[in-house]
Amino acid sequence: EIVMTQTPLSLSVTPGQPASISCKSTQSLLESDGRTYLHWYLQKPGQSPHLLIYDLSHRFSGVPERFSGSGSGTDFTLKISRVEAEDVGVYYCMQSKEVPLTFGGGTKVEIK
Amino acid sequence: QVQLVQSGAEVKKPGASVKVSCETSGYAFTDYYMHWIRQAPGQGLEWVGWINPKTGDTKYAQRFQDRVTMTRAASNSTAYMELSSLTSDDTAVYFCATIDYWGQGTVVTVSS
């Protein structure tokens, strides 16, 4: 199975400052159809995860422009250009190129 | 708007089975695979399997292969997941999800 590794485990950010989360996969997530099947989710405390970025770099409906996804092949990054208080929670990357679908271990973001 | 509404919390004894439902609305139920994902207390996300609502085809994670059954009722746009031979290790929140949208989660507690 494809193993997803996220770093860091946690992040403490001052509001208005940028934040960056890394995710690495043990196999390329680029499919022959040209899509990269890497997605980013945020799970706020007490809630179910919600989609932020799909297919590597596409912001989901309603997601603020301060969130962006980048990378290629096996190395991926989620960036928040200016962190806001509402961005606290645990961020997960997930691959859907192959079954079993697999997730990174999560990055907990808190506000300083 | 898209909604995935799951059934309520369950408490089961070891060895029992549990069946969780996921009623959908706001989109074409048969157009998107339905995934089931679980999250043990304080832990990350684990994919259980998927069902193709159009055909009924399923794919399960190997560790659940012999004790999970996913079904659907297209007539009421509802997906179901049944997990048998429960142990305390199955205590978790179970989510249905289309990748884009997630249900609110169903808490399953296994305790003697």
Side-chain angles (χ1 to χ4, degrees):
Chain A
E1 73 178 44
I2 298 176
V3 176
M4 307 295 289
T5 304
Q6 265 182 258
T7 54
L9 217 57
S10 65
L11 212 46
S12 185
V13 188
T14 301
Q17 292 301 300
S20 181
I21 298 170
S22 171
C23 176
K24 295 182 190 298
S25 59
T26 53
Q27 296 175 36
S28 174
L29 301 184
L30 175 63
E31 185 55 272
S32 55
D33 60 7
R35 292 169 60 183
T36 299
Y37 288 83
L38 184 281
H39 320 292
W40 290 96
Y41 295 89
L42 167 59
Q43 185 174 31
K44 295 185 178 183
Q47 296 184 16
S48 54
H50 67 267
L51 182 64
L52 297 172
I53 303 287
Y54 66 95
D55 292 359
L56 179 66
S57 60
H58 300 274
R59 259 189 313 276
F60 190 55
S61 174
V63 174
E65 289 185 4
R66 63 180 181 275
F67 291 93
S68 64
S70 63
S72 63
T74 60
D75 287 358
F76 312 100
T77 303
L78 176 71
K79 291 181 179 172
I80 311 173
S81 59
R82 287 175 300 278
V83 171
E84 297 188 7
E86 65 182 25
D87 300 336
V88 297
V90 181
Y91 290 77
Y92 293 96
C93 59
M94 184 197 82
Q95 68 81 22
S96 63
K97 181 173 183 287
E98 290 182 5
V99 293
L101 274 62
T102 47
F103 295 85
T107 297
K108 185 172 184 178
V109 171
E110 61 176 24
I111 299 297
K112 277 184 184 173
Chain B
Q1 74 279 23
V2 174
Q3 286 192 306
L4 281 67
V5 179
Q6 299 183 224
S7 47
E10 301 266 12
V11 179
K12 296 292 183 182
K13 293 198 183 305
S17 297
V18 67
K19 190 171 185 176
V20 180
S21 67
C22 173
E23 184 174 357
T24 73
S25 60
Y27 74 100
F29 177 67
T30 55
D31 282 358
Y32 298 91
Y33 284 23
M34 184 65 74
H35 300 264
W36 290 89
I37 293 150
R38 77 178 189 179
Q39 186 171 38
Q43 301 301 307
L45 300 164
E46 179 179 28
W47 181 78
V48 179
W50 59 246
I51 182 167
N52 180 338
K54 183 175 293 185
T55 63
D57 289 344
T58 55
K59 185 76 172 178
Y60 305 137
Q62 191 162 6
R63 62 177 295 191
F64 302 106
Q65 187 76 38
D66 55 353
R67 61 189 189 99
V68 69
T69 304
M70 294 179 187
T71 56
R72 91 293 190 210
S75 58
N76 61 358
S77 302
T78 300
Y80 303 90
M81 183 208 65
E82 184 169 19
L83 190 63
S84 62
S85 303
L86 293 169
T87 72
S88 58
D89 289 342
D90 294 314
T91 294
V93 179
Y94 289 77
F95 298 100
C96 60
T98 64
I99 299 292
D100 296 359
Y101 295 96
W102 291 52
Q104 84 277 19
T106 296
V107 177
V108 175
T109 303
V110 183
S111 173
S112 54

